[in-house]
Amino acid sequence: MLKILIVDDSLIIRKKITTIVEKLGHEVVGQAKTGEEAIDIYEGVKPDLVTMDITMPDMDGITAVKHIIEMDKNAKIIMVTSHGQEDMVIDSIKAGAVGYMLKPITDEKLAEVIGEVFLEYACDEHEDDLELSDDDL
Amino acid sequence: MVLDSLILQSKLFFTEDMGIEIEDIVRKEKSAELNLKSHTAMIGVGGELNMMVVISFDTPMLNKLVEVFMEGEDVAPEEEEEIKESVTGEVINTIIGLSIPTFPKRGKGVTITPPISINDASNIKKHKDSKIVSANIKTHYGELSISAIIAKDVLK
């Protein structure tokens, strides 16, 4: 089960993602309406995955990604975006986001991106298993 | 034309994504002012286009959209207003996002602002250097209008 932080200024989108995340058997550990809130909550809950809106009042998603990556270079952040925001998606990826999901959000799309994070986790854990100890040498 | 793109993407969004059939569309190419309905949201589009896009809903139409977005879940009374604002924002965001790639002369680096909601306003009047293009879209659940307020030099 992954711990997920949802960042979006739209209540309807936060509700929609929460419903899907819980249906998929993961836990929503926090919700933020702004980039600044996201940074504060991230520090406290250390989620496995963040879904991040791009356009938000006060601090946008791209700036929030930069701040979170500064705090945790291994942060897994997925941008939630509309068609027509391709330039901003590219900026987000350059800032450290690991992927993006186009609206409208569906169970299948969210399951797919979460699956990708799971796979990466599985690989990370597997790499740890393969590390040789001094005794092995 | 910007209005053609907005109308086409609105039709696709309401019929295919929301399951709401369009009964009629009335275009207004030259309006001196924009009469607003009960619930309105606005987004600024930056870059070479530089315009404001406004979407305005009758209450029954917005209620239907909320129902579709909530997928049958009840709305708590204390969340009702925020949900409605959220839905108007998401609808305009989606239509703009789908329309931008089809806008003529859009150039590179198009940006959009977060949506804002407008309450208790009845109309928007244009400045002498701007133009309002608009479409009134009729459905079984009521009407909505989608409009763009564009600087005249963008249209040249």
Side-chain angles (χ1 to χ4, degrees):
Chain A
M1 182 170 72
L2 289 174
K3 295 190 296 176
I4 297 177
L5 168 62
I6 299 167
V7 187
D8 203 303
D9 59 326
S10 167
L11 175 59
I12 197 89
I13 295 298
R14 295 198 304 275
K15 277 182 174 287
K16 174 112 186 167
I17 296 177
T18 300
T19 303
I20 300 174
V21 162
E22 289 174 351
K23 209 191 291 179
L24 294 170
H26 305 298
E27 183 188 4
V28 176
V29 289
Q31 296 190 23
K33 292 181 193 174
T34 69
E36 282 181 0
E37 269 184 34
I39 293 163
D40 289 344
I41 296 174
Y42 189 94
E43 268 192 306
V45 299
K46 294 282 188 298
D48 301 311
L49 178 72
V50 181
T51 67
M52 177 79 75
D53 187 17
I54 291 189
T55 52
M56 290 182 288
D58 75 32
M59 183 190 286
D60 64 53
I62 301 167
T63 311
V65 169
K66 286 177 185 166
H67 284 283
I68 290 174
I69 293 292
E70 272 173 21
M71 288 191 302
D72 177 5
K73 66 180 173 60
N74 295 316
K76 304 279 190 293
I77 306 170
I78 299 291
M79 308 310 288
V80 177
T81 176
S82 303
H83 287 276
Q85 296 184 325
E86 288 78 5
D87 290 345
M88 287 185 269
V89 170
I90 291 168
D91 289 344
S92 308
I93 301 292
K94 283 179 185 168
V98 294
Y100 70 98
M101 178 173 51
L102 273 177
K103 289 179 189 173
I105 300 159
T106 62
D107 299 21
E108 293 77 20
K109 283 185 197 171
L110 194 54
E112 192 181 326
V113 285
I114 289 175
E116 284 168 9
V117 173
F118 262 130
L119 185 63
E120 192 159 329
Y121 267 46
C123 291
D124 287 347
E125 283 170 14
H126 192 56
E127 273 175 21
D128 290 344
D129 292 344
L130 288 177
E131 277 180 17
L132 296 173
S133 66
D134 289 341
D135 291 342
D136 293 327
L137 299 170
Chain B
M1 276 285 294
V2 165
L3 185 59
D4 292 318
S5 300
L6 291 173
I7 290 173
L8 175 63
Q9 297 308 329
S10 298
K11 274 170 74 175
L12 291 172
F13 173 74
F14 288 114
T15 55
E16 293 184 8
D17 290 351
M18 298 288 106
I20 297 172
E21 289 302 319
I22 305 291
E23 294 178 350
D24 192 23
I25 297 175
V26 178
R27 299 169 64 111
K28 283 185 186 172
E29 303 284 353
K30 284 181 186 174
S31 304
E33 65 179 34
L34 194 55
N35 294 314
L36 303 179
K37 300 179 187 300
S38 315
H39 307 273
T40 301
M42 184 186 276
I43 276 186
V45 180
E48 288 178 30
L49 283 171
N50 200 17
M51 64 178 158
M52 301 294 296
V53 177
V54 182
I55 196 161
S56 197
F57 299 99
D58 280 343
T59 300
M61 178 67 187
L62 181 57
N63 289 344
K64 177 61 184 173
L65 290 169
V66 168
E67 186 188 313
V68 175
F69 268 87
M70 291 298 289
E71 296 177 15
E73 272 189 51
D74 291 336
V75 177
E78 67 274 15
E79 287 183 340
E80 198 175 324
E81 272 314 300
E82 194 179 348
I83 289 281
K84 283 181 176 174
E85 285 183 11
S86 250
V87 169
T88 55
E90 281 312 309
V91 169
I92 192 169
N93 222 343
T94 305
I95 292 171
I96 287 290
L98 292 167
S99 301
I100 284 174
T102 67
F103 281 162
K105 299 180 187 174
R106 65 186 180 281
K108 287 185 177 174
V110 178
T111 57
I112 59 172
T113 65
I116 54 168
S117 294
I118 303 170
N119 297 320
D120 302 325
S122 57
N123 61 63
I124 294 172
K125 286 188 178 161
K126 79 177 191 68
H127 187 268
K128 64 177 179 179
D129 294 326
S130 63
K131 178 180 178 179
I132 297 176
V133 292
S134 187
N136 209 45
I137 299 175
K138 190 179 172 195
T139 78
H140 176 67
Y141 302 98
E143 292 186 357
L144 68 126
S145 65
I146 186 150
S147 315
I149 305 165
I150 313 171
K152 274 186 178 167
D153 57 2
V154 171
L155 298 170
K156 283 178 185 167

